[in-house]
Amino acid sequence: MTGKYRVGILGATGTVGQRFLQLLDGHPQFNVTALAASGRSQGKTYEESCAWRLPGEPPASARNIVVEAPQPPLDCDLIFSSLPGDIAREVEGSFADAGYAVISNSSAYRMDEDVPLLIPEVNHEHLALLDKQRALHANRKGFIVTNPNCSTIMLALALAPLHARFGIKAVIATTMQALSGAGYPGVASLDITDNVLPFIANEEEKIESETRRILGRFSNDGITHAPFAVSAQTNRVNVSDGHMAAVRVELRRKAEPDEVSAALASFTSLPQELKLHSAPEQPIIVRSEIDRPQPRLDRDAGRGMSVTIGRIARDTVMDYRFVTLSHNTIRGAAGAAILNAELLIATNRL
Ligand code: NAP
């Protein structure tokens, strides 16, 4: 295709939707031409319907687009979806059936056997599942690709080089997740001020199952999940952006601390080779200071697309422990989906 792809955003007024618009402003391959949200917003211009919560103003090119219902047809070639999970399944399926490429943030299709759950640096070979999707859905003229849960992305990125180099036997991850991860308005201020909430609905299950699928092996039969246990506990903390996780891993093969650090710090993959627009130069940045990573200082590393890892040390129960952090609405959501779309273009699937 010559020229830019015309993009529609579902859930455009929400936390992730706003981040999509910010990241797509001036993007060399995409032009936003359609926006959709709930009945509350439909029929109004984006400017009228959206309470913009990012610094600066909404992109000028989007302000006068009239927000529509999230149903086909929309005036675009591909769809970025950031709809709530409960309505995403029906809506995204209808766009895919109608011939749109749907690149989704929501959880609705992530575990479907024929849908790639994609992190371009980790499992780009899972894109071959699109052939299976085509075969299983004779009436589907488009397709669906998903990105993982926001905490899963940083965990899977951190584990990928360790699994490739040393093999992983078991993982324990305890997250400290930012408020923006709950969307807007999210958690009530009186519940989170001076507090930590040790429960995020369905989050632990998503991290445990998605991580094993992403690090699983593709064959013609589908994905065989990675053969190690993942145990996750999730907490909501009083931070605006940036999810963090304290991780412990048991490895199959012995490794020295500098080998573990080097495996993480030197990790690059296909998006870096292809120089995709949103790919960070370093998917993983290893910091050696004793008090890093921190959300405020490290969430914007690599324009929000790098994962920052620190506190790498031998563990007295498992083999190694470390702390990982990434920007939940960029690498964990909108940026992840845009990188997926860039990979689809570069591999001639769009
Ligand atoms: P949010 O701030 O609550 O935004 C929800 C968006 O969906 C709004 O645009 C809203 O439109 C629209 N919407 C709600 N109900 C609708 C309906 N019945 N029909 C059509 N549109 C509807 O949520 P969010 O944080 O952006 O999350 C969106 C999705 O991304 C969720 O599936 C979430 O799990 C996933 N996700 C979020 C993050 C994150 O860090 N926040 C990370 C990864 C994945 P109105 O403004 O008109 O109500």
Side-chain angles (χ1 to χ4, degrees):
M1 170 161 179
T2 54
K4 290 191 182 187
Y5 290 79
R6 294 168 323 130
V7 165
I9 302 173
L10 312 183
T13 49
T15 306
V16 177
Q18 295 186 22
R19 191 62 84 175
F20 267 124
L21 278 162
Q22 185 193 54
L23 295 176
L24 290 169
D25 191 26
H27 193 288
Q29 292 162 298
F30 304 113
N31 252 346
V32 176
T33 52
L35 300 172
S38 78
R40 189 188 67 76
S41 309
Q42 291 163 25
K44 301 176 190 164
T45 63
Y46 188 70
E47 193 166 34
E48 288 164 346
S49 65
C50 176
W52 185 257
R53 310 240 166 233
L54 293 173
E57 302 297 325
S61 55
R63 280 183 219 157
N64 293 320
I65 296 179
V66 175
V67 176
E68 296 178 73
Q71 62 193 38
L74 286 182
D75 180 30
C76 57
D77 310 310
L78 74 101
I79 294 286
F80 286 121
S81 171
S82 53
L83 288 173
D86 55 343
I87 58 163
R89 191 158 183 99
E90 193 184 330
V91 172
E92 292 174 0
S94 68
F95 275 100
D97 290 349
Y100 296 82
V102 177
I103 297 152
S104 173
N105 262 288
S106 70
S107 56
Y109 284 94
R110 284 186 196 144
M111 298 304 286
D112 277 33
E113 56 162 349
D114 58 332
V115 174
L117 178 59
L118 185 65
I119 304 176
E121 285 93 341
V122 176
N123 64 343
H124 45 84
E125 70 282 3
H126 290 197
L127 270 183
L129 284 178
L130 289 178
D131 300 330
K132 188 168 181 163
Q133 194 177 132
R134 211 159 287 127
L136 280 176
H137 298 269
N139 295 329
R140 186 170 284 178
K141 299 190 205 77
F143 59 84
I144 301 174
V145 169
T146 59
N147 56 256
N149 160 280
C150 38
S151 291
T152 307
I153 293 184
M154 69 173 172
L155 180 63
L157 265 164
L159 296 178
L162 301 181
H163 192 44
R165 195 81 60 99
F166 312 110
I168 288 178
K169 246 185 180 170
V171 180
I172 295 175
T174 306
T175 69
M176 290 146 269
Q177 299 187 206
L179 294 168
S180 59
Y184 192 83
V187 184
S189 57
L190 280 176
D191 286 340
I192 197 69
T193 303
D194 187 29
N195 213 3
V196 170
L197 299 175
F199 172 70
I200 304 174
N202 304 320
E203 195 79 355
E204 292 167 354
E205 296 83 344
K206 286 178 190 167
I207 296 170
E208 292 176 358
S209 58
E210 290 178 17
T211 304
R212 295 184 57 237
R213 181 162 197 247
I214 295 159
L215 292 169
R217 194 164 291 145
F218 171 82
S219 72
N220 286 338
D221 300 328
I223 307 293
T224 308
H225 289 204
F228 55 78
V230 180
S231 163
Q233 281 189 301
T234 58
N235 301 283
R236 185 75 67 198
V237 297
N238 199 352
V239 164
S240 57
D241 290 313
H243 286 357
M244 191 147 104
V247 182
R248 287 169 165 76
V249 286
E250 194 179 349
L251 301 175
R252 290 202 175 275
R253 158 168 113 58
K254 281 204 178 314
E256 294 303 314
D258 52 354
E259 288 182 280
V260 171
S261 280
L264 293 167
S266 64
F267 178 63
T268 60
S269 183
L270 186 60
Q272 285 68 39
E273 256 170 59
L274 295 172
K275 297 191 185 314
L276 300 182
H277 178 75
S278 304
E281 223 168 277
Q282 287 177 272
I284 297 174
I285 294 172
V286 172
R287 301 214 59 123
S288 56
E289 301 91 325
I290 52 167
D291 59 355
R292 300 285 280 274
Q294 295 178 22
R296 227 165 355 117
L297 301 181
D298 296 306
R299 62 193 168 206
D300 293 323
R303 292 176 294 145
M305 289 297 284
S306 293
V307 169
T308 302
I309 295 180
R311 305 298 325 279
I312 300 169
R314 285 192 194 276
D315 187 61
T316 46
V317 176
M318 310 277 275
D319 290 320
Y320 279 93
R321 62 185 174 214
F322 57 85
V323 176
T324 178
L325 176 129
S326 83
H327 199 302
N328 55 295
T329 67
I330 303 180
R331 177 50 103 159
I338 294 169
L339 187 61
N340 283 354
E342 292 166 3
L343 181 67
L344 286 164
I345 294 171
T347 54
N348 297 318
R349 292 190 178 269
L350 252 182

